[in-house]
Amino acid sequence: MTVLDTPAAPARTREPQVELYDFRRPLTLVREHARHLEMAFGRFARQFGTQLTARLRVLTQLEFEQVALHTYDEYVSLLPTPTAMVLCTVEPTRQTGVVQLPVAATMVWIDYLFGGDGRGDDRPGRELTEIELTLVRELLQHALADLEYAFAGITKLALDVRGVQYNPQFVQAAAASDTVLVATFTLRMGERTDVLTLMLPGEHMVAALQAADGSIAASPEDRLRAERAQVDLARAVGDVPVEVGVRFTPVTVQPRDVIALAVGDVLPLTHPSTEPLDVVVDGVVLARAALGSHGPRLACRVVSVTEENRA
């Protein structure tokens, strides 16, 4: 029997995924800022784990996983229900921060604090009693005090624990569209593993990072790479094709007039014949231009340059 070799099927290439970026609401951290935040949250995680180990008398590790910017609505939509959302006042801005962790994890803490073996209480819907809440608040307050040390090179930061809520959908710690900074950690306590998140006001943290760029400056090599990246970015943006339009002043009409339009109808414009037209890119007026011609084609001559957002 003869076996014929059949050609292997060509590998199917994956289509590149394009992610839209809104420059008016950036939700991506600058690489240098992300690196400084990772170092700060890493220091905080190590201190937090040490604090819990000393207080609970069981080996506890808090490992930093990632940090990202989200809208508050996106952050809340990713949280399980129910969960313990510990609301904190962020100093010095007096905004609200959130420490989020499973309710069952806090029950294990309480069990260890009372000399138990860490079994906790996994009953669904179980909430903290006043005594348990006092113990958790005190434990977290001591641990969160290390944020001031961890962020000393970036900004003054302190969290004051206020209370706890259990349904993320009902917690309005910020406006739905507000940008928040979310750090994710893995909490390992004995044989138990949980995910913990820390939410801070994004606008304040990004502004603090920008203001601290001088004091937390990178090495000369890093600065040189950043300058080259900025030049490359400016060059790349300059080569991006954009659509340029020339328009008259818009006119307002009633819907019934638009529906009734027919061939031959005249739609009067309010644009004065002596006024230049708008040169528009993506709804932004960049210049004014007079209508003319260039050989056999219509053209416009720029008479003034401006930048006015009409969106």
Side-chain angles (χ1 to χ4, degrees):
M1 182 177 61
T2 304
V3 179
L4 299 178
D5 293 333
T6 57
R12 184 174 298 176
T13 59
R14 296 181 59 185
E15 292 293 331
Q17 298 297 321
V18 178
E19 183 177 350
L20 297 179
Y21 185 84
D22 189 350
F23 285 91
R24 291 167 295 185
R25 197 196 67 180
L27 288 178
T28 302
L29 286 167
V30 178
R31 181 178 301 176
E32 287 301 312
H33 292 172
R35 188 168 68 88
H36 292 306
L37 287 173
E38 289 168 0
M39 293 171 60
F41 282 120
R43 288 192 293 267
F44 167 69
R46 290 189 293 272
Q47 292 294 110
F48 195 115
T50 302
Q51 287 267 11
L52 289 181
T53 299
R55 296 293 301 276
L56 303 180
R57 298 181 299 279
V58 61
L59 181 60
T60 305
Q61 292 180 325
L62 187 69
E63 296 180 4
F64 169 74
E65 298 294 341
Q66 64 177 0
V67 61
L69 289 173
H70 299 281
T71 62
Y72 178 72
D73 187 57
E74 292 170 347
Y75 168 63
V76 170
S77 66
L78 297 174
L79 298 181
T81 302
T83 189
M85 293 187 69
V86 182
L87 305 182
C88 307
T89 300
V90 181
E91 299 292 352
T93 64
R94 305 295 298 175
Q95 293 175 288
T96 300
V98 175
V99 178
Q100 176 271 325
L101 70 162
V103 180
T106 64
M107 300 297 181
V108 173
W109 292 1
I110 294 166
D111 196 10
Y112 279 125
L113 286 172
F114 282 115
D117 56 4
R119 295 182 183 180
D121 190 344
D122 292 330
R123 286 179 294 173
R126 171 80 153 80
E127 296 182 0
L128 296 172
T129 65
E130 287 296 326
I131 296 177
E132 292 168 343
L133 179 58
T134 300
L135 292 172
V136 171
R137 180 189 289 115
E138 181 185 1
L139 186 62
L140 282 176
Q141 195 64 66
H142 281 286
L144 293 175
D146 291 320
L147 277 173
E148 186 172 358
Y149 158 75
F151 281 81
I154 299 175
T155 184
K156 183 178 180 181
L157 182 64
L159 267 63
D160 185 22
V161 178
R162 296 202 312 257
V164 61
Q165 298 290 334
Y166 302 97
N167 192 328
Q169 305 303 321
F170 296 152
V171 178
Q172 196 64 37
S177 60
D178 282 358
T179 303
V180 295
L181 185 73
V182 180
T184 304
F185 304 86
T186 298
L187 177 63
R188 292 184 173 87
M189 184 166 43
E191 297 181 355
R192 183 184 180 88
T193 301
D194 294 291
V195 175
L196 181 150
T197 63
L198 173 60
M199 186 216 82
L200 298 171
E203 185 177 353
H204 167 69
M205 297 303 300
V206 172
L209 285 164
Q210 293 171 346
D213 275 341
S215 60
I216 58 175
S219 64
E221 293 79 8
D222 290 339
R223 287 196 296 269
L224 181 60
R225 282 196 295 268
E227 292 172 0
R228 289 175 178 172
Q230 187 174 5
V231 172
D232 293 340
L233 177 62
R235 186 185 300 113
V237 170
D239 293 335
V240 175
V242 295
E243 293 186 359
V244 180
V246 180
R247 73 180 183 188
F248 296 94
T249 301
V251 61
T252 302
V253 298
Q254 301 294 330
R256 58 177 175 270
D257 298 328
V258 177
I259 296 175
L261 285 176
V263 177
D265 288 348
V266 176
L267 187 64
L269 302 177
T270 59
H271 193 103
S273 58
T274 57
E275 289 291 323
L277 307 179
D278 294 337
V279 180
V280 183
V281 175
D282 194 22
V284 178
V285 178
L286 298 181
R288 310 279 182 176
L291 191 63
S293 62
H294 183 73
R297 297 178 180 274
L298 287 175
C300 61
R301 180 185 296 276
V302 175
V303 296
S304 64
V305 178
T306 182
E307 186 169 344
E308 177 184 351
N309 193 348
R310 293 287 185 84

